[in-house]
Amino acid sequence: MAADFKYIVVGRGMMGAAAAKHLAKRTDGVAVIGPDEPENRKAHRGVFASHYDEGRITRTVDPDRDWALLANRSISRYADIEADSGVTFYTEAGCAFVAPAQSEYIVNTTRAAASLGVETTLLDEAGLKAAFPFFDLPDGCEGVFQVKGAGHISARKLVKAQSIIAQKAGATVVRDYVTAICEAGGVATVETSRGTVYSAEKVLIAAGGFSIGENLLPQSVDMSVHGRTVTLFEVSEAQAAEFAAMPSLIVEAPQTDIYLLPPIRYPDGKIYLKIGGDPDDHLLETERDLRAWFRTDGRPAARDHLTAIVRRLVPDLRPLSVSTAACAVSHTKSRYPMIGYTSSPRLAVLTGCAGTSAKSSDEIGRLGAELLLKGKIGDQGYATDFQPFFR
């Protein structure tokens, strides 16, 4: 049975779009299937994605060297992605990592940065106050500050950029979502929500949390998916100007475990300061749970928790409004993305990115492309092998 394509990537989020681009640059016969962002989220009954956002932290430094390397390689390509697509998605605002002084988090972050040759500055408590007067950070903390190669990206614009480059390289973009995948006649076949069936020699499932959906894999992927609530504080043009030097911020301290984005203009024309960091986990066990979750505005308890923290952290904040949005993260046993084959040599997965991979998505996508092209990832300089786990 002749296949319609050599490779089909299922999922056109940050990882899937990147994988499709890298594949299309190296071979023909590539398709990527994934819907556009729904116009009315609450009325939408299809699948969702977590890249419907304007503010995601990007930085190289990380307490885990493999995550730092994934980020470092991705960030080094940002300029080329912007140039090749004509889409600007990256703002170099810097990123500060704050934790108790001499903690394992600070030590490991500094060590990983040094091993990759990333320039950072270690700020003590007084240095943090001097550098970032708009923050009231927890006592007894110090911070690692990265200026170059750090800040924030627009996740939706990054996906747009990767999709444009993939198309320019010859990939077919199908704006639909996949409801079933199976094997027949020596090829893999995928069926979309509109009833269209496509076939390929190999299929890469990069559907984020929706990879837990039924009828996609021969064996269920072993990962947990959790709902997350982000809180957005609308600020005035004047307040945004006051906070113009604000970097992206990560705080890992007692009673304060959050990330914060400086004021960013969103598609509605308003400017929002964003904070995330749920106080507990909200497990989503099925695809039906996921769809229902994305139609909500998140959890009021998480909003209240984050609001109390942001009032402490940014005491001069004068929000014009406060709103929330639902997001989701996928966790694996290894704490790394799963990039590998299922029990079928025609079906592979690229998923489980722990809610921290927006910055690293181009490299993660490249590894997915490498898997399909060569049958394995091979030695890429990582300590982990990105092995997938199944139930």
Side-chain angles (χ1 to χ4, degrees):
M1 180 176 175
D4 299 319
F5 299 99
K6 284 183 183 176
Y7 305 116
I8 292 177
V9 179
V10 174
R12 194 164 55 90
M14 287 177 282
M15 270 58 70
K21 177 198 72 175
H22 284 288
L23 282 168
K25 282 190 165 186
R26 296 173 65 179
T27 187
D28 57 4
V30 176
V32 56
I33 304 175
D36 289 328
E37 183 174 352
E39 293 183 8
N40 186 339
R41 176 174 54 85
K42 293 190 175 183
H44 182 60
R45 290 296 178 268
V47 300
F48 293 82
S50 292
H51 69 261
Y52 308 149
D53 192 9
E54 289 301 310
R56 294 294 179 85
I57 291 179
T58 189
R59 87 278 182 183
T60 292
V61 290
D62 191 284
D64 184 287
R65 191 183 185 279
D66 278 350
W67 275 111
L69 184 55
L70 286 167
N72 196 26
R73 289 176 173 174
S74 292
I75 294 167
S76 71
R77 302 181 197 126
Y78 282 179
D80 288 340
I81 297 170
E82 289 186 332
D84 291 348
S85 67
V87 177
T88 301
F89 60 85
Y90 169 50
T91 301
E92 193 170 71
C95 185
F97 306 75
V98 176
Q102 299 181 6
S103 64
E104 185 177 355
Y105 185 88
I106 292 292
V107 171
N108 289 343
T109 299
T110 304
R111 182 183 296 125
S115 73
L116 296 174
V118 177
E119 183 180 348
T120 61
T121 301
L122 184 63
L123 300 170
D124 60 15
E125 189 169 343
L128 286 171
K129 291 182 183 294
F132 313 121
F134 25 70
F135 292 144
D136 187 3
L137 297 164
D139 293 336
C141 285
E142 60 185 0
V144 179
F145 184 41
Q146 179 186 356
V147 178
K148 295 182 178 180
H152 52 86
I153 60 173
S154 164
R156 55 166 57 95
K157 289 177 183 174
L158 174 56
V159 169
K160 179 181 179 180
Q162 301 283 41
S163 296
I164 287 172
I165 299 171
Q167 281 188 293
K168 286 171 62 176
T172 298
V173 175
V174 179
R175 288 173 166 80
D176 196 355
Y177 67 92
V178 171
T179 55
I181 304 173
C182 65
E183 291 184 80
V187 299
T189 62
V190 302
E191 183 174 352
T192 72
S193 68
R194 300 190 185 106
T196 307
V197 176
Y198 301 95
S199 62
E201 296 173 13
K202 292 184 179 182
V203 172
L204 179 67
I205 296 94
F210 283 88
S211 299
I212 65 173
E214 296 179 359
N215 303 318
L216 294 184
L217 295 168
Q219 45 194 150
S220 179
V221 67
D222 189 2
M223 70 180 189
S224 60
V225 182
H226 301 97
R228 292 287 185 259
T229 301
V230 297
T231 303
L232 300 161
F233 297 85
E234 181 190 356
V235 301
S236 66
E237 298 279 355
Q239 179 117 91
E242 292 175 28
F243 295 157
M246 183 180 288
S248 295
L249 174 70
I250 296 171
V251 181
E252 188 170 295
Q255 300 182 334
T256 309
D257 187 359
I258 58 92
Y259 66 88
L260 182 145
L261 278 298
I264 297 169
R265 193 176 301 278
Y266 274 64
D268 64 1
K270 297 178 180 180
I271 305 172
Y272 297 96
L273 180 147
K274 171 187 165 183
I275 185 173
D278 287 50
D280 54 13
D281 284 327
H282 179 61
L283 183 64
L284 303 170
E285 297 189 38
T286 67
E287 181 181 328
R288 183 175 180 178
D289 293 341
L290 260 172
R291 295 191 194 207
W293 169 252
F294 273 103
R295 290 193 292 268
T296 73
D297 292 324
R299 297 186 295 161
R303 175 201 62 205
D304 295 345
H305 169 78
L306 293 169
T307 298
I309 290 175
V310 87
R311 285 174 176 164
R312 296 197 306 268
L313 277 179
V314 194
D316 293 335
L317 180 66
R318 301 182 298 276
L320 303 177
S321 68
V322 180
S323 57
T324 55
C327 192
V329 300
S330 304
H331 293 288
T332 67
K333 289 181 178 180
S334 67
R335 299 180 297 108
Y336 299 107
M338 294 189 291
I339 311 171
Y341 283 95
T342 65
S343 57
S344 167
R346 299 190 185 282
L347 304 178
V349 294
L350 174 64
T351 190
C353 295
T356 63
S357 59
K359 64 188 181 303
S360 308
S361 58
D362 190 69
E363 174 66 2
I364 295 170
R366 186 190 70 81
L367 293 175
E370 192 82 3
L371 177 70
L372 294 197
L373 290 166
K374 295 188 176 180
K376 61 181 181 179
I377 293 176
D379 183 14
Q380 302 286 327
Y382 298 99
T384 181
D385 60 5
F386 300 103
Q387 177 184 350
F389 296 90
F390 303 94
R391 299 188 193 280

